[in-house]
Amino acid sequence: MLKLRPTLRLYNRIMSSSIPEKLPVVAPDSLMDQKGHGTVANPLRTPMLYGVDEKKADEICCFNRHYAENSGYFLTTKWKKEVENKGEVTYYDPANGKPLFIAPRGRTFKEFLEESKKHGWPSFRDQEVVWENVRCLENGECVSTAGTHLGHNIPDGAKKNRYCINLVSCAGTPAE
């Protein structure tokens, strides 16, 4: 009888919800064309999580391509209290409720928090991105497939992808 040993790539694909081989997944700039409500089809779903400013969320997520919430804003919200010691937390698109990130994954919350504090925004790594719903544009802008502006990919010194994301852009509630 022939015994088959799955390759590491196949095993990782099965176990990690199919992470694409080439990251980040790049989309054309047309993904961010104007739609019914800025770059998304409809107004953001409310209420949002972590006590974020919903007006600020609407401006950053739907009517913005270059600006961000203030550095460290995420630390002024209920975010840390609500996610610390919860294990892997899923972060949702406020435009459609689809999952965008699951973190911390492959590191501790302390490591995730320290990197986020260092850069001023929640900072996700490739293994924490739900690639079915997230794309990057050629200029490094990180967006959802719904057209939500999320933040930017700012690779670290080792050229590993680091997605610095506005908390308002991933503080949605799950779609039902």
Coordinates of all heavy atoms in Angstrom, one line a residue, residues 31-67:
L31 N -10.6 48.8 -7.4 CA -11.3 48.3 -6.2 C -11.8 49.4 -5.4 O -12.9 49.4 -4.7 CB -10.5 47.3 -5.4 CG -11.1 46.7 -4.1 CD1 -12.3 45.9 -4.5 CD2 -10.1 45.9 -3.4
M32 N -11.1 50.5 -5.4 CA -11.4 51.7 -4.6 C -12.2 52.8 -5.3 O -12.3 53.9 -4.9 CB -10.2 52.3 -3.9 CG -9.5 51.3 -3.0 SD -10.5 50.7 -1.6 CE -10.5 52.1 -0.6
D33 N -12.8 52.4 -6.5 CA -13.6 53.4 -7.2 C -14.8 53.8 -6.3 O -15.2 53.0 -5.4 CB -14.1 52.8 -8.5 CG -13.0 52.7 -9.6 OD1 -11.9 53.3 -9.4 OD2 -13.3 52.1 -10.6
Q34 N -15.4 55.0 -6.6 CA -16.5 55.4 -5.9 C -17.7 54.5 -6.1 O -18.0 54.0 -7.2 CB -16.9 56.9 -6.3 CG -15.8 57.9 -5.9 CD -15.7 58.0 -4.4 OE1 -16.7 58.4 -3.7 NE2 -14.5 57.7 -3.8
K35 N -18.5 54.3 -5.0 CA -19.6 53.5 -5.0 C -20.8 54.2 -4.3 O -20.7 55.5 -4.3 CB -19.3 52.1 -4.3 CG -18.2 51.3 -4.9 CD -17.8 50.2 -4.0 CE -16.6 49.4 -4.6 NZ -15.3 50.2 -4.4
G36 N -21.8 53.6 -3.8 CA -22.9 54.3 -3.2 C -22.6 55.1 -2.0 O -23.3 56.1 -1.7
H37 N -21.6 54.8 -1.2 CA -21.2 55.5 0.0 C -19.7 55.7 0.0 O -19.0 54.9 0.7 CB -21.8 54.8 1.2 CG -21.6 55.6 2.5 ND1 -22.4 56.7 2.8 CD2 -20.7 55.5 3.5 CE1 -22.0 57.2 4.0 NE2 -21.0 56.4 4.4
G38 N -19.2 56.6 -0.7 CA -17.7 56.7 -0.9 C -17.2 55.5 -1.6 O -17.7 55.2 -2.7
T39 N -16.2 54.8 -1.0 CA -15.6 53.7 -1.7 C -16.3 52.3 -1.3 O -15.9 51.3 -1.8 CB -14.1 53.6 -1.3 OG1 -14.0 53.5 0.1 CG2 -13.3 54.8 -1.9
V40 N -17.4 52.4 -0.5 CA -18.1 51.2 -0.2 C -19.6 51.4 -0.7 O -20.0 52.5 -1.0 CB -18.1 50.9 1.3 CG1 -16.7 50.6 1.8 CG2 -18.7 52.0 2.2
A41 N -20.3 50.3 -0.7 CA -21.7 50.4 -1.3 C -22.7 51.1 -0.4 O -23.6 51.8 -0.8 CB -22.2 49.0 -1.6
N42 N -22.6 50.9 1.0 CA -23.6 51.4 1.9 C -22.9 52.0 3.1 O -21.7 51.7 3.4 CB -24.5 50.3 2.4 CG -25.3 49.7 1.2 OD1 -26.0 50.4 0.5 ND2 -25.1 48.4 1.0
P43 N -23.6 52.8 3.9 CA -23.0 53.3 5.2 C -22.5 52.2 6.0 O -23.0 51.0 6.0 CB -24.1 54.1 5.8 CG -25.0 54.5 4.7 CD -24.9 53.3 3.7
L44 N -21.6 52.5 6.9 CA -21.0 51.5 7.8 C -22.1 50.9 8.8 O -23.0 51.6 9.1 CB -19.9 52.1 8.7 CG -18.7 52.6 7.8 CD1 -17.6 53.1 8.8 CD2 -18.1 51.5 6.9
R45 N -21.9 49.7 9.1 CA -22.8 49.0 10.1 C -22.5 49.5 11.5 O -21.4 49.6 11.9 CB -22.6 47.5 10.0 CG -22.9 46.9 8.6 CD -22.2 45.6 8.4 NE -22.1 44.7 9.6 CZ -23.0 43.7 9.8 NH1 -24.0 43.5 9.0 NH2 -22.9 43.0 10.9
T46 N -23.6 49.8 12.2 CA -23.4 50.3 13.6 C -24.4 49.5 14.5 O -25.3 48.9 14.0 CB -23.8 51.8 13.7 OG1 -25.1 52.0 13.3 CG2 -22.8 52.7 12.9
P47 N -24.0 49.4 15.8 CA -22.9 50.0 16.4 C -21.6 49.3 16.1 O -21.6 48.1 15.7 CB -23.3 49.9 17.9 CG -24.1 48.6 18.0 CD -24.9 48.6 16.7
M48 N -20.5 50.0 16.3 CA -19.2 49.4 16.1 C -18.6 49.0 17.5 O -19.1 49.4 18.5 CB -18.3 50.4 15.4 CG -18.8 50.7 13.9 SD -17.8 51.9 13.0 CE -16.3 51.0 12.9
L49 N -17.6 48.2 17.4 CA -16.9 47.7 18.6 C -15.9 48.7 19.2 O -15.5 49.6 18.6 CB -16.3 46.4 18.3 CG -17.2 45.2 17.8 CD1 -16.3 44.0 17.4 CD2 -18.3 44.9 18.8
Y50 N -15.5 48.4 20.4 CA -14.4 49.0 21.2 C -14.7 50.5 21.5 O -13.8 51.2 21.9 CB -13.1 48.9 20.4 CG -12.9 47.5 19.9 CD1 -12.7 47.3 18.6 CD2 -12.9 46.4 20.8 CE1 -12.5 46.0 18.1 CE2 -12.7 45.1 20.3 CZ -12.5 44.9 18.9 OH -12.3 43.6 18.5
G51 N -15.9 51.0 21.3 CA -16.2 52.4 21.6 C -15.6 53.4 20.6 O -15.3 54.5 21.0
V52 N -15.3 52.9 19.4 CA -14.6 53.8 18.4 C -15.6 54.9 18.0 O -16.8 54.8 18.1 CB -14.1 53.0 17.2 CG1 -13.1 52.0 17.6 CG2 -15.2 52.4 16.4
D53 N -15.0 56.0 17.5 CA -15.8 57.1 17.0 C -16.3 56.8 15.6 O -15.6 56.6 14.7 CB -14.8 58.3 16.9 CG -15.5 59.6 16.5 OD1 -16.4 59.5 15.6 OD2 -15.1 60.7 16.9
E54 N -17.7 56.6 15.6 CA -18.3 56.1 14.3 C -18.2 57.2 13.2 O -18.1 56.8 12.0 CB -19.7 55.7 14.6 CG -19.7 54.4 15.4 CD -21.1 54.0 15.9 OE1 -22.1 54.6 15.5 OE2 -21.2 52.9 16.5
K55 N -18.2 58.5 13.5 CA -18.1 59.5 12.5 C -16.7 59.4 11.9 O -16.5 59.5 10.7 CB -18.3 60.9 13.1 CG -18.3 62.0 12.1 CD -18.6 63.3 12.7 CE -18.6 64.4 11.5 NZ -17.9 65.5 11.9
K56 N -15.7 59.3 12.8 CA -14.3 59.2 12.3 C -14.1 57.9 11.5 O -13.4 57.9 10.5 CB -13.3 59.1 13.5 CG -11.9 58.9 13.2 CD -11.0 58.8 14.4 CE -11.1 60.1 15.2 NZ -10.0 60.2 16.2
A57 N -14.8 56.8 11.9 CA -14.7 55.6 11.1 C -15.3 55.8 9.7 O -14.7 55.3 8.7 CB -15.5 54.5 11.8
D58 N -16.4 56.5 9.6 CA -17.0 56.7 8.3 C -16.1 57.5 7.4 O -15.8 57.2 6.2 CB -18.3 57.4 8.5 CG -19.2 57.4 7.2 OD1 -19.4 56.4 6.6 OD2 -19.6 58.5 6.8
E59 N -15.4 58.5 7.9 CA -14.5 59.4 7.2 C -13.3 58.6 6.7 O -12.9 58.6 5.5 CB -14.0 60.6 8.0 CG -15.1 61.6 8.3 CD -14.7 62.6 9.4 OE1 -13.6 62.5 9.9 OE2 -15.6 63.4 9.7
I60 N -12.7 57.8 7.6 CA -11.5 57.1 7.3 C -11.7 55.9 6.4 O -11.0 55.6 5.4 CB -10.8 56.6 8.6 CG1 -10.2 57.9 9.3 CG2 -9.7 55.6 8.3 CD1 -9.6 57.6 10.7
C61 N -12.8 55.1 6.7 CA -13.1 53.9 5.9 C -13.6 54.2 4.5 O -13.3 53.4 3.6 CB -14.1 53.0 6.7 SG -13.5 52.4 8.3
C62 N -14.5 55.2 4.4 CA -15.3 55.3 3.2 C -14.9 56.5 2.3 O -15.2 56.5 1.1 CB -16.7 55.5 3.5 SG -17.3 54.2 4.6
F63 N -14.3 57.5 2.9 CA -14.1 58.8 2.1 C -12.6 59.2 2.2 O -12.3 60.4 2.2 CB -15.0 59.9 2.7 CG -16.4 59.6 2.5 CD1 -17.2 59.0 3.5 CD2 -17.1 59.8 1.3 CE1 -18.5 58.7 3.3 CE2 -18.4 59.5 1.1 CZ -19.1 58.9 2.1
N64 N -11.7 58.3 2.2 CA -10.3 58.6 2.5 C -9.4 57.5 1.8 O -9.7 56.3 1.8 CB -10.1 58.5 4.0 CG -8.6 58.4 4.4 OD1 -7.9 59.3 4.0 ND2 -8.3 57.4 5.1
R65 N -8.3 58.0 1.3 CA -7.4 57.0 0.7 C -6.0 57.2 1.2 O -5.1 56.4 1.0 CB -7.3 57.3 -0.8 CG -8.6 57.1 -1.6 CD -9.0 55.6 -1.7 NE -8.0 54.7 -2.2 CZ -7.6 54.6 -3.5 NH1 -8.3 55.2 -4.4 NH2 -6.7 53.8 -3.8
H66 N -5.7 58.3 2.0 CA -4.4 58.6 2.4 C -4.2 58.8 3.9 O -3.1 58.7 4.4 CB -3.9 59.8 1.7 CG -4.0 59.6 0.2 ND1 -3.2 58.8 -0.5 CD2 -4.8 60.2 -0.7 CE1 -3.5 58.8 -1.8 NE2 -4.5 59.7 -1.9
Y67 N -5.2 59.2 4.6 CA -5.1 59.6 6.0 C -5.4 58.4 7.0 O -6.0 57.5 6.6 CB -5.9 60.8 6.3 CG -5.5 62.0 5.4 CD1 -6.2 62.3 4.3 CD2 -4.3 62.6 5.7 CE1 -5.8 63.4 3.5 CE2 -3.9 63.7 4.8 CZ -4.7 64.0 3.8 OH -4.2 65.0 2.9

